[in-house]
Amino acid sequence: MDRVRAVGREAAAKKYDILSAMVAHALAGDPQAQRLVLRLMALITTRYNWQGNELSIGQREIARLWCVDERTVKRDMARLRTMGWITVKRQGARGRVSVLGLDLDRILLDTRPAWSNIGPDYVSRMGGAEAGEGGEPDRTVVPFRRPDIAPAEGLWGAARLRLAAEDRPLFDAWFAGLSDGGTQNGCLTLIAPSRFHATYLRTHLIDRLRIAVGRCDGRVREVRIEVA
């Protein structure tokens, strides 16, 4: 998925599309998920700077907006960071609040299963339609069937299945070649086949690995990449 930015000539339409994805995702979930997404949407519509991808608001102000106490704010903001929907761009210091950002790619990735509830036009507009969907299949293209992922035990085995379901081409290119190096003190070690492979993962994909692993086991918060 390309990096999403709601700026430029079509910024307004992109904003509505992103919010629509979040609404559909929330309505398809349980009441707890609906409440969490609604609270994030309240921050987006009242305080989020789309152009700079910045959300700067203190916990006391969030508590007032959400009509909750600050303990609830801390809990839900931590959940959103664990999900990867919110990132910390600049940590607050000396009385200044932290500057947060939204990972719109992660949000769209997580909400994608609910896009069809909005309608096929939305799915097509968001680039979620498969080739040939909604019309006659292109008979000049021979479909390529990817081999099934061999089941594996343990945390990395579960995370592999999750990563493959999210984005199979990305999984095949960068995650399939990783092997399990064990888990210790809340950190999963993965072994990459080459130094270049490890460097690319650390630079570009470590957050996606961390989120997938954390969703399989919330006790594991970190992922370390080493070279075979």
Side-chain angles (χ1 to χ4, degrees), residues 61-170:
E61 288 73 20
I62 296 175
R64 183 171 60 244
L65 175 63
W66 289 357
C67 300
V68 299
D69 56 33
E70 291 188 40
R71 180 179 298 179
T72 299
V73 172
K74 291 180 181 179
R75 182 196 65 208
D76 280 4
M77 294 299 282
R79 288 179 59 196
L80 290 166
R81 289 194 300 272
T82 299
M83 291 166 58
W85 286 29
I86 281 181
T87 62
V88 179
K89 299 182 69 173
R90 292 193 297 276
Q91 191 69 47
R94 295 184 179 180
R96 294 187 178 184
V97 300
S98 297
V99 177
L100 307 175
L102 298 184
D103 189 334
L104 298 179
D105 291 312
R106 182 76 246 179
I107 290 173
L108 291 180
L109 187 64
D110 287 343
T111 59
R112 189 168 186 162
W115 291 359
S116 59
N117 295 342
I118 301 175
D121 57 327
Y122 179 86
V123 175
S124 178
R125 184 168 69 252
M126 297 296 285
E130 298 294 333
E133 184 177 327
E136 289 295 322
D138 187 349
R139 303 188 183 280
T140 64
V141 177
V142 178
F144 174 73
R145 183 182 183 279
R146 296 187 179 93
D148 294 333
I149 300 173
E153 297 181 354
L155 174 57
W156 178 232
R160 279 170 52 89
L161 294 175
R162 181 180 290 275
L163 289 164
E166 289 180 353
D167 191 328
R168 186 58 191 270
L170 186 70

Side-chain angles (χ1 to χ4, degrees), residues 180-212:
D180 191 345
T183 303
Q184 187 175 12
N185 298 326
C187 179
L188 171 66
T189 298
L190 297 174
I191 310 301
S194 69
R195 188 176 300 278
F196 170 78
H197 200 115
T199 299
Y200 187 91
L201 290 170
R202 294 180 192 128
T203 304
H204 300 285
L205 298 173
I206 194 65
D207 286 340
R208 181 168 290 202
L209 281 169
R210 178 181 52 77
I211 291 168

